[in-house]
Amino acid sequence: MQAQTSIIAHRGSSFTAPENTVAAAKLAWEQNADAVELDIYLSKDNRVVVMHDSNTKRTTGQSNPISETSSEVLRTLDAGSWKNDQYKGENIPFLEEMIATVPSNKKMVIEIKCGIEVLPALQQVVNSCGKKDQLVFIAFGWETILAAKQLFPSNACYWLSSSATEVSAKMSEAAQKGLDGINLNYKIIDQETVTKAKELGLEVLSWTIDDPEEAKRLIQLGVTGITTNRPDLIRQSIQ
Ligand code: G3P
Ligand code: CA
């Protein structure tokens, strides 16, 4: 990410638009987000699809485990109406469709929600998208993010955690293994954590912050990314 604090739209501009859809990504760009974050899984037919949950039930009303469902079926589902009727017909995107929306000076933060089984298909998408240098990878899975860094050594890769104990135990190893930083639940971020990370050469990103006062606290601590459902509100409040 960049030295100045980046505003990262969480699942797109997901306070207003349906999360993890092309509409949510486009709205985030209109609202001048620096990056869009999204979540990926591998479908039964080895396509990289964008969704937060491993099952489509919450955002489409139809229960389908993604790993057991073909993209042909996934693409028939309506992932927009649950949020607002105006988004009826928004489908579950392929990763490449989301990447295609990224403007030239912006980034896409790709959270690998499943395991390393997605990496071969992900590599194909990344290598053919024409925007490889605008992609950033994040994952809670330790082995998953290390494998992503090995596969994409020139792309920034951040390990996700919401456990202060876990972060304290693994921060040095994250640096040794060549990760670019840690991406933490904002509730566990304090000055000690940021200082230690910086000493190790690690950036600190944060999620998910919709409160302007909390965003200001984190910026003062020195985080380099604020992940928010409301990029418009956070942008205005920190200007
Ligand atoms: O950006 C990281 C954040 O998205 C992790 O939590 O559950 O929203 O994927 P979750
Ligand atoms: Ca996520």
Side-chain angles (χ1 to χ4, degrees):
M1 306 303 289
Q2 59 209 41
Q4 200 187 350
T5 311
S6 296
I7 307 293
I8 304 164
H10 183 238
R11 311 179 194 176
S13 191
S14 62
F15 178 79
T16 305
E19 65 183 57
N20 282 323
T21 62
V22 167
K26 287 184 174 171
L27 182 58
W29 304 132
E30 282 168 26
Q31 293 173 342
N32 197 24
D34 297 302
V36 161
E37 186 261 6
L38 54 75
D39 307 286
I40 61 165
Y41 284 94
L42 188 65
S43 69
K44 188 177 181 186
D45 56 333
N46 291 315
R47 296 295 299 269
V48 184
V49 296
V50 179
M51 177 154 287
H52 179 270
D53 303 356
S54 61
N55 187 296
T56 59
K57 177 75 176 165
R58 179 175 59 87
T59 57
T60 71
Q62 310 281 327
S63 179
N64 297 281
I66 295 175
S67 64
E68 296 169 26
T69 309
S70 73
S71 58
E72 195 182 351
V73 170
L74 293 171
R75 299 278 286 178
T76 64
L77 304 175
D78 175 2
S81 295
W82 73 279
K83 188 73 174 175
N84 187 310
D85 274 351
Q86 94 184 73
Y87 293 109
K88 183 176 165 68
E90 277 296 316
N91 57 16
I92 298 171
F94 290 124
L95 176 60
E96 54 267 36
E97 293 174 303
M98 294 294 266
I99 294 173
T101 71
V102 183
S104 58
N105 55 340
K106 308 280 181 166
K107 303 240 170 170
M108 186 149 268
V109 179
I110 298 170
E111 180 178 348
I112 305 169
K113 275 285 184 212
C114 54
I116 59 171
E117 69 278 7
V118 76
L119 293 179
L122 179 60
Q123 189 174 28
Q124 281 192 345
V125 173
V126 167
N127 288 342
S128 59
C129 72
K131 299 186 183 184
K132 182 177 180 184
D133 61 352
Q134 292 171 258
L135 306 180
V136 170
F137 299 96
I138 60 176
F140 284 98
W142 177 251
E143 297 303 330
T144 303
I145 199 61
L146 293 183
K149 187 64 189 175
Q150 280 213 317
L151 199 56
F152 308 117
S154 60
N155 294 79
C157 291
Y158 303 82
W159 177 53
L160 287 162
S161 183
S162 52
S163 161
T165 315
E166 192 181 56
V167 169
S168 176
K170 278 189 127 42
M171 214 194 284
S172 300
E173 197 182 345
Q176 278 163 18
K177 300 274 189 190
L179 295 182
D180 298 270
I182 48 181
N183 190 351
L184 306 180
N185 184 316
Y186 75 93
K187 292 174 187 163
I188 66 164
I189 300 177
D190 57 17
Q191 191 64 69
E192 190 185 341
T193 307
V194 176
T195 302
K196 186 175 168 198
K198 285 190 173 176
E199 282 169 5
L200 290 165
L202 295 169
E203 277 183 64
V204 180
L205 308 188
S206 58
W207 47 275
T208 301
I209 302 103
D210 291 344
D211 173 5
E213 290 310 310
E214 185 59 30
K216 287 175 195 162
R217 179 187 80 89
L218 292 162
I219 290 167
Q220 276 169 3
L221 289 180
V223 304
T224 53
I226 303 263
T227 310
T228 175
N229 299 308
R230 309 190 66 173
D232 48 349
L233 174 72
I234 296 298
R235 171 77 70 202
Q236 281 165 20
S237 66
I238 64 171
Q239 261 167 358

